[in-house]
Amino acid sequence: AQTVTQSQPEMSVQEAETVTLSCTYDTSESDYYLFWYKQPPSRQMILVIRQEAYKQQNATENRFSVNFQKAAKSFSLKISDSQLGDAAMYFCAYRAYSGGGADGLTFGKGTHLIIQP
Amino acid sequence: GAVVSQHPSWVICKSGTSVKIECRSLDFQATTMFWYRQFPKQSLMLMATSNEGSKATYEQGVEKDKFLINHASLTLSTLTVTSAHPEDSSFYICSGLIGVNEKLFFGSGTQLSVL
């Protein structure tokens, strides 16, 4: 079974600074997807960034970028120029690439990100 | 992006009663709907996977007779919590999938409180 580990229950960063959230995963599959989701107090799940494992290039979305190390099974999220609106729970998630039926997401336990003004 | 409408957003019920939660994909056809449960200060845990027109597949430890899932159309999936008990109190979230390897779209969630 796949597992996703987020070793940082809570992180704090000054506004406008850069912060990196860690995520490691375990799988025997070669093709899969990795995600970072943001869950603000409203609890709506918001997709931050998505990475296909077959792509060597790290995904980026504006101030958000990932460092995907497939051999190390590591998938960290870097948030640049942190803003107060970035404060939320961040979940790392894994999903197998499905050749048949669809698979759901396996989530890590989450990292609570605090932005200090 | 695509929208998944989930209702109700909040429900309180008495122990022993049943509660139905609906998820509708408003501008796409969800071939697959996933149901998750999230306890306070915890992560989301996959409960079951439902495909339109077929029986749902439940994750280990999830009682299929207690959590009834119906996916009768490509735009509607329902989760019924039967004979709810206080330990079923949780945040339930659905997520719709357009194609097997396409993007997932989440509903806004339902907070269930069983008294």
Side-chain angles (χ1 to χ4, degrees), chain B residues 38 58 61 86 93 95:
Chain B
Q38 185 179 29
Y58 292 83
I93 313 175
S95 176

Side-chain angles (χ1 to χ4, degrees), chain A residues 33 35 37 39 42-45 47 50 91 95-105 107-110, chain B residues 32 34 36 38 41-46 49 51 91 93 97 99-104 106-109 111:
Chain A
Y33 303 94
F35 307 84
Y37 279 92
Q39 188 180 44
S42 68
R43 294 191 286 183
Q44 173 72 54
M45 297 296 286
L47 177 64
R50 159 183 154 135
F91 292 99
R95 180 165 172 254
Y97 179 91
S98 182
D103 291 343
L105 292 167
F107 287 91
K109 291 187 175 182
Chain B
T32 301
F34 302 100
Y36 296 86
Q38 185 179 29
K41 299 190 184 298
Q42 294 190 21
S43 186
L44 283 76
M45 295 297 293
L46 181 65
T49 301
N51 293 296
F91 189 63
I93 313 175
L97 183 68
V100 172
N101 289 304
E102 295 298 324
K103 294 181 180 178
L104 290 160
F106 282 87
S108 54
Q111 176 64 49

Side-chain angles (χ1 to χ4, degrees), chain A residues 2-61:
Chain A
Q2 298 85 4
T3 58
V4 178
T5 302
Q6 293 179 249
S7 58
Q8 306 153 316
E10 186 173 280
M11 292 283 284
S12 182
V13 64
Q14 290 288 129
E15 193 176 2
E17 296 292 306
T18 295
V19 63
T20 299
L21 308 184
S22 301
C23 173
T24 58
Y25 59 94
D26 188 26
T27 183
S28 58
E29 303 290 333
S30 58
D31 291 327
Y32 48 87
Y33 303 94
L34 294 166
F35 307 84
W36 279 98
Y37 279 92
K38 171 184 178 181
Q39 188 180 44
S42 68
R43 294 191 286 183
Q44 173 72 54
M45 297 296 286
I46 301 167
L47 177 64
V48 175
I49 204 162
R50 159 183 154 135
Q51 173 84 43
E52 288 89 344
Y54 67 86
K55 291 184 177 179
Q56 292 185 333
Q57 187 173 8
N58 290 324
T60 62
E61 286 289 342

Side-chain angles (χ1 to χ4, degrees), chain B residues 47-82:
Chain B
M47 296 176 65
T49 301
S50 72
N51 293 296
E52 185 263 339
S54 61
K55 288 185 178 180
T57 302
Y58 292 83
E59 296 299 304
Q60 191 173 6
V62 178
E63 300 175 58
K64 62 180 181 181
D65 294 331
K66 181 170 190 60
F67 299 99
L68 302 179
I69 292 173
N70 184 285
H71 195 164
S73 77
L74 288 171
T75 58
L76 175 64
S77 179
T78 61
L79 166 67
T80 301
V81 183
T82 63

